Amino acid sequence: RLERLQRVVTKLQMESGICEEQLNQADALLQADVRLLAAGKAPQKAAEVERDLDKADGMIRLLFNDVQTLKDGRHPQGEQMYRRVYRLHERLVSIRTEYNLRLKSGAPVTAVTAVSVAAGQRRPEADEAPLRYLQDLLAWVEDNQRCVAAAEWGADLPTVETHLGAHRGLHRAIEEFRAKVERARADEVRPPGCWSPPSPGANECDHSPPVPPQNSSKSRLRHLESLHGFVSAATKELLWLSEREEEEVAFDWSHHNPAMAAKKESYS
């Protein structure tokens, strides 16, 4: 049994190293594209970044399964391996959040314009650029609204902790997203040629900025923290019960056992 668990530890060490390299590569590509955007150029590696992040995500899920095997087997390195994989997961969330905010929804207008000019297309009108930006924001909101709505909760402590850590990262991104919403609101985006109505909602051309999924995110975060507290307490109780069970199974219940009197006293 110990040899089998030790093989799991070795596998975890090797594959977590590979996963870290995958995240390093994704981060390097992301930062290269961020520098291109800052220089007013179009990003080149977005598809590769997303592919690397998806690979790392799949690897981390498998690593957590191995960690659970160690914890179930009460291997002394189980907690250490859990922290190692959890740090990888936190980094994945951090890189994916930056990717979503800066590449998928945060590309500056200059980058969009540069691509159009390079392709020989006409330069976008002044009020088309903010509309495109608004559409990017709406897509980001819809993606994350689906993410929050479809997210799982977990049935044991390691899984709940994983979901809680992942959602904390997402919630931070949603909070940061408010600045983008305020920018869109300030732009007062309307398609070209639309008459500005005297009151909100009086004309179909009036566009409202997207509302981030803050309420559902806050609610999920609150419920996850409550669930984590309950599962943590329940796990401690279950461990206590398991230890007591092992004592009872191992105890010599024969009448010749001199410790029987103390056992009766303990039971009382």
Side-chain angles (χ1 to χ4, degrees):
R1 171 181 161 275
L2 288 175
E3 287 177 2
R4 179 177 61 83
L5 291 176
Q6 192 56 46
R7 285 196 296 272
V8 174
V9 170
T10 303
K11 177 173 174 282
L12 269 167
Q13 290 171 334
M14 180 182 68
E15 293 184 355
S16 62
I18 295 172
C19 184
E20 187 170 13
E21 290 175 6
Q22 191 87 50
L23 290 172
N24 288 341
Q25 178 176 304
D27 194 25
L29 293 173
L30 173 61
Q31 298 311 318
D33 268 0
V34 167
R35 288 191 293 272
L36 286 176
L37 285 174
K41 299 176 181 177
Q44 303 291 325
K45 305 292 185 180
E48 291 180 46
V49 173
E50 189 153 8
R51 187 166 60 247
D52 285 343
L53 290 176
D54 287 342
K55 284 181 183 177
D57 191 1
M59 292 177 70
I60 288 171
R61 291 175 187 275
L62 295 175
L63 289 173
F64 270 121
N65 290 337
D66 289 337
V67 166
Q68 189 60 47
T69 300
L70 291 183
K71 286 198 163 192
D72 290 343
R74 298 189 181 181
H75 192 277
Q77 288 182 269
E79 189 61 31
Q80 176 190 346
M81 290 294 103
Y82 169 72
R83 287 194 297 269
R84 182 169 181 173
V85 176
Y86 187 74
R87 281 194 297 270
L88 289 173
H89 181 266
E90 282 189 320
R91 185 150 185 242
L92 170 69
V93 171
S94 175
I95 296 172
R96 193 181 288 281
T97 298
E98 185 176 8
Y99 168 74
N100 287 335
L101 287 174
R102 303 188 73 173
L103 286 194
K104 291 189 78 172
S105 68
V109 173
T110 52
V112 178
T113 305
V115 172
S116 299
V117 173
Q121 300 170 358
R122 67 178 181 84
R123 188 180 181 87
E125 297 297 330
D127 48 3
E128 286 181 2
L131 178 58
R132 185 180 294 107
Y133 182 75
L134 176 61
Q135 290 168 340
D136 289 341
L137 299 188
L138 284 167
W140 191 93
V141 169
E142 289 169 0
D143 287 345
N144 285 282
Q145 189 72 271
R146 284 194 296 270
C147 180
V148 171
E152 298 179 355
W153 297 94
D156 53 43
L157 186 56
T159 312
V160 171
E161 287 178 340
T162 299
H163 289 312
L164 179 57
H167 189 70
R168 279 176 175 158
L170 175 61
H171 190 69
R172 281 194 299 270
I174 290 172
E175 291 293 324
E176 292 169 2
F177 187 76
R178 284 193 300 180
K180 294 178 180 291
V181 173
E182 292 306 318
R183 174 179 154 187
R185 185 171 282 125
D187 286 342
E188 295 182 352
V189 180
R190 291 183 180 85
C194 272
W195 168 67
S196 209
S199 60
N203 188 290
E204 289 183 358
C205 292
D206 188 35
H207 285 256
S208 300
V211 179
Q214 282 176 287
N215 291 338
S216 54
S217 177
K218 283 181 180 176
S219 175
R220 173 169 167 77
L221 183 59
R222 187 173 64 250
H223 290 316
L224 273 169
E225 288 173 343
S226 174
L227 177 62
H228 181 260
F230 170 78
V231 175
S232 297
T235 300
K236 289 178 181 176
E237 298 297 331
L238 288 168
L239 288 173
W240 185 89
L241 283 171
S242 180
E243 290 167 1
R244 298 291 81 75
E245 182 183 22
E246 288 178 3
E247 287 181 11
E248 300 306 293
V249 171
F251 187 75
D252 178 9
W253 290 93
S254 67
H255 292 294
H256 304 292
N257 185 355
M260 187 60 76
K263 191 69 168 178
K264 288 180 180 178
E265 180 65 23
S266 173
Y267 265 63
S268 68

